[in-house]
Amino acid sequence: MKRVVLLGPPGAGKGTQATGIAEKYNIPHISTGDIFRANVKEGTPLGKKAKEYMDQGLLVPDELVCDLVEDRIMQEDCANGYLLDGFPRTLFQAEHFDNFLKSKGQELDSVVDIEVSEDVLLPRLTGRRVCRNCGRPYHVITMPPKVEGVCDVCGGEVYQRADDSEETVLNRFKVYNEQTSPLIEYYTASGKLAPINGEQSQAEVFDEICAKLGD
Ligand code: AP5
Ligand code: MG
Ligand code: ZN
């Protein structure tokens, strides 16, 4: 049983690490960003609302996020635990989620905090490409797909996210610093925070995460 949250600034490597962690512990990877992007693509009412915020690098309002995740983790495939990527990211979400978990007799095991400085994050994000179909992240210089524009894993189209322009990225940093970074203190206080040095190779980051999560 592993109930894990992946925390970290934009571009820290949450999505990159998620696949391996989800596989190793046999738990679903639940990315709120991926869920919103899928809704934007489908043109659902939720997607239309979320897009207004995402395109500016702002957070989608809490009331559109909490129920979505809380419903999702009650599904059958989460019986063995789950890996949350990008949720919670405000104090409101964290407290709402803790109350929800308590009401279900559950508790988080660990909050993995991938730490990377902004000067390293900026080129990661402006050079990032992602698969439109499965969400896997690539990078034009450090991690290009084998065939340009095509996902190695699923063959989907590899594209640049609308919020990965330099201007929007700088806004996302600001939003992270103001609204999400307080969670570091919040989860330190509850003894759940596992800080990880995210400025290592992908393999080294993965090993450090697994060492903290245990078997
Ligand atoms: P979301 O999709 O969660 O974006 P984010 O938090 O900004 O994080 P990213 O996905 O940009 O970064 P990542 O850490 O996954 O990095 P990655 O692995 O791709 O959210 C998008 C938007 O949705 C939000 O702005 C908001 O509007 C909305 N939203 C989502 N959740 C919400 C919530 N709970 N509440 C409210 N709104 C919400 O890696 C980045 C790049 O670096 C890649 O190119 C990768 O190849 C490269 N890289 C990764 N690791 C390494 C390494 N070790 N060394 C070198 N390069 C590396
Ligand atoms: Mg991501
Ligand atoms: Zn793919």
Side-chain angles (χ1 to χ4, degrees), residues 85-149:
D85 163 0
F87 176 91
R89 62 209 268 165
T90 63
L91 273 178
F92 179 91
Q93 290 177 19
E95 284 167 0
H96 197 283
F97 191 51
D98 268 350
N99 288 332
F100 176 79
L101 290 178
K102 211 177 278 168
S103 76
K104 300 289 173 190
Q106 292 189 12
E107 204 186 328
L108 285 173
D109 291 299
S110 192
V111 176
V112 171
D113 179 36
I114 308 180
E115 298 177 343
V116 180
S117 62
E118 284 182 14
D119 49 327
V120 174
L121 293 171
L122 185 63
R124 280 194 190 181
L125 287 167
T126 51
R128 174 170 60 182
R129 300 292 182 271
V130 290
C131 174
R132 212 184 268 285
N133 181 46
C134 74
R136 168 174 277 248
Y138 295 91
H139 191 279
V140 284
I141 295 162
T142 57
M143 248 271 277
K146 291 189 186 101
V147 178
E148 200 191 320

Side-chain angles (χ1 to χ4, degrees), residues 129-132 138 145 147 149-152 156-160:
R129 300 292 182 271
V130 290
C131 174
R132 212 184 268 285
Y138 295 91
V147 178
V150 182
C151 177
D152 294 351
E157 181 205 352
V158 172
Y159 80 115
Q160 181 167 30

Side-chain angles (χ1 to χ4, degrees), residues 4 37 64 84 109 116 127 137 154 185 187 189 196 200 204 207:
V4 179
R37 279 184 289 277
L64 296 180
L84 294 175
D109 291 299
V116 180
C154 77
E185 210 181 305
Y187 287 117
I196 304 288
Q200 316 174 78
E204 287 166 331
D207 289 346

Side-chain angles (χ1 to χ4, degrees), residues 14-15 31 34 37 85 128 161:
K14 301 181 295 293
S31 157
D34 287 350
R37 279 184 289 277
D85 163 0
R128 174 170 60 182
R161 263 169 55 175

Side-chain angles (χ1 to χ4, degrees), residues 170-184:
L170 294 177
N171 211 22
R172 285 159 60 202
F173 289 163
K174 191 164 167 269
V175 166
Y176 170 83
N177 290 327
E178 288 172 5
Q179 301 188 55
T180 307
S181 69
L183 296 187
I184 295 173

